[in-house]
Amino acid sequence: MRSLDGIADVSFVMTCWTDVFFLLQFTEKLKKVTKKRTKPLSESEIIDTFEEVCESSWDDYGIKEVDGLKRLSGAGLETKDVPGVMQGGGKWPFRLKEMCYNYVGNEGEEELYDVFKSKTTLEKFLCKEANGPCHPKNRKLKKAEKDKEEL
């Protein structure tokens, strides 16, 4: 997984890491679902696949401070084995489920499936494409919006 160190806005860092996390979850599920298929998934299969990911158990995930940044931690993430206290359980499984559905709602199931089919890397989708949530241009826009809200 790519490091997003050096980004000053903690809420933005959290957003980018959760985006990466959910895209990894979606990619793993889509690989399993499409492994032996020769035809593309139907619209209902695409929706079902993303719903299965969002309805997964999020009990083993939470937030951990790593090098001064709040990062998602749990199975399959590089932060899992980093020493520190993880804030998990309680409201976190529900929050992650909601974040998953929000992410799918914002990006769209078919659009995410198209990214998967195109073999576009997560780094390219998230950070290099102009509309990617972690693209430097969007970081500046989100920071400006946050600063404006604080006034």
Side-chain angles (χ1 to χ4, degrees):
M1 189 174 293
R2 290 254 173 230
S3 173
L4 296 175
D5 295 340
I7 301 173
D9 186 353
V10 172
S11 63
F12 186 77
V13 169
M14 195 60 216
T15 301
C16 286
W17 277 110
T18 54
D19 289 349
V20 169
F21 171 70
F22 289 126
L23 280 175
L24 289 171
Q25 300 298 314
F26 298 145
T27 300
E28 289 303 311
K29 183 65 173 179
L30 287 166
K31 282 180 182 177
K32 287 179 187 174
V33 170
T34 61
K35 188 175 184 178
K36 296 182 181 180
R37 293 182 63 110
T38 55
K39 295 181 182 179
L41 297 177
S42 68
E43 183 178 349
S44 63
E45 289 172 317
I46 294 169
I47 291 168
D48 289 346
T49 300
F50 285 97
E51 281 184 5
E52 283 180 35
V53 172
C54 292
E55 288 295 328
S56 299
S57 173
W58 302 104
D59 293 336
D60 296 333
Y61 294 92
I63 302 302
K64 184 187 290 186
E65 191 163 321
V66 177
D67 297 328
L69 297 175
K70 293 182 181 180
R71 302 261 307 271
L72 195 58
S73 183
L77 298 171
E78 65 183 21
T79 53
K80 180 179 189 267
D81 297 324
V82 174
V85 177
M86 183 177 84
Q87 299 173 4
K91 295 181 181 180
W92 278 107
F94 177 75
R95 288 176 181 161
L96 290 169
K97 179 179 174 179
E98 287 298 307
M99 290 168 78
C100 182
Y101 276 115
N102 286 335
Y103 187 78
V104 171
N106 289 337
E107 299 297 329
E109 292 96 337
E110 290 188 36
E111 289 79 0
L112 290 168
Y113 179 59
D114 288 343
V115 169
F116 170 77
K117 286 191 315 184
S118 72
K119 308 289 188 219
T120 299
T121 64
L122 294 177
E123 178 187 13
K124 182 175 180 188
F125 177 70
L126 288 172
C127 303
K128 299 249 165 67
E129 296 202 5
N131 62 345
C134 296
H135 187 273
K137 177 188 79 168
N138 292 330
R139 286 200 302 256
K140 290 176 187 171
L141 289 174
K142 289 187 184 215
K143 175 98 172 100
E145 288 171 6
K146 183 179 178 188
D147 291 346
K148 194 182 286 186
E149 287 175 8
E150 291 176 356
L151 295 177

